[in-house]
Coordinates of all heavy atoms in Angstrom, one line a residue:
K184 N 13.8 -22.6 -3.8 CA 15.2 -22.1 -3.9 C 15.2 -20.6 -3.5 O 14.3 -19.9 -3.7 CB 15.8 -22.2 -5.3 CG 15.9 -23.7 -5.7 CD 16.5 -23.8 -7.1 CE 16.7 -25.2 -7.6 NZ 17.3 -25.3 -8.9
N185 N 16.4 -20.2 -2.9 CA 16.6 -18.8 -2.5 C 17.3 -18.0 -3.6 O 18.1 -18.5 -4.3 CB 17.4 -18.7 -1.2 CG 16.7 -19.4 0.0 OD1 15.4 -19.3 0.1 ND2 17.4 -20.1 0.8
L186 N 16.9 -16.7 -3.7 CA 17.5 -15.9 -4.7 C 19.0 -15.8 -4.6 O 19.7 -15.8 -5.6 CB 16.9 -14.4 -4.6 CG 15.5 -14.2 -5.2 CD1 14.9 -12.9 -4.7 CD2 15.6 -14.2 -6.7
D187 N 19.5 -15.7 -3.4 CA 20.9 -15.6 -3.2 C 21.7 -16.8 -3.4 O 23.0 -16.8 -3.3 CB 21.2 -15.0 -1.9 CG 20.8 -15.8 -0.7 OD1 20.1 -16.9 -1.0 OD2 21.0 -15.5 0.4
E188 N 21.1 -17.9 -3.8 CA 21.8 -19.2 -4.0 C 21.8 -19.7 -5.4 O 22.5 -20.6 -5.8 CB 21.1 -20.3 -3.1 CG 21.1 -20.0 -1.7 CD 20.3 -21.0 -0.9 OE1 19.5 -21.8 -1.5 OE2 20.4 -21.0 0.4
V189 N 21.0 -19.0 -6.3 CA 20.9 -19.6 -7.7 C 21.9 -19.0 -8.6 O 22.4 -17.9 -8.5 CB 19.4 -19.3 -8.2 CG1 18.4 -20.0 -7.4 CG2 19.1 -17.8 -8.3
K190 N 22.2 -19.8 -9.7 CA 23.0 -19.4 -10.8 C 22.1 -19.0 -11.9 O 21.3 -19.8 -12.3 CB 24.0 -20.5 -11.2 CG 24.8 -20.2 -12.4 CD 25.7 -21.4 -12.9 CE 26.4 -21.1 -14.2 NZ 27.2 -22.2 -14.6
L191 N 22.3 -17.8 -12.5 CA 21.5 -17.4 -13.6 C 22.3 -17.1 -14.8 O 23.4 -16.4 -14.7 CB 20.7 -16.1 -13.2 CG 19.8 -15.5 -14.2 CD1 18.6 -14.9 -13.5 CD2 20.4 -14.4 -15.0
V192 N 21.9 -17.5 -16.0 CA 22.6 -17.3 -17.3 C 21.6 -16.6 -18.2 O 20.5 -17.0 -18.3 CB 23.1 -18.6 -17.9 CG1 23.7 -18.3 -19.2 CG2 24.1 -19.3 -17.0
T193 N 22.1 -15.5 -18.8 CA 21.2 -14.8 -19.8 C 21.8 -15.1 -21.2 O 23.0 -15.3 -21.5 CB 21.2 -13.3 -19.6 OG1 22.4 -12.7 -20.0 CG2 21.0 -13.0 -18.1
S194 N 20.8 -15.0 -22.2 CA 21.1 -14.9 -23.6 C 20.6 -13.6 -24.0 O 19.3 -13.4 -24.0 CB 20.5 -16.0 -24.4 OG 20.7 -15.8 -25.8
G195 N 21.4 -12.6 -24.3 CA 21.0 -11.3 -24.6 C 21.5 -10.3 -23.6 O 21.5 -10.6 -22.4

Side-chain angles (χ1 to χ4, degrees):
K184 295 181 179 180
N185 296 322
L186 280 164
D187 60 356
E188 298 172 346
V189 295
K190 174 185 175 181
L191 181 145
V192 176
T193 75
S194 172

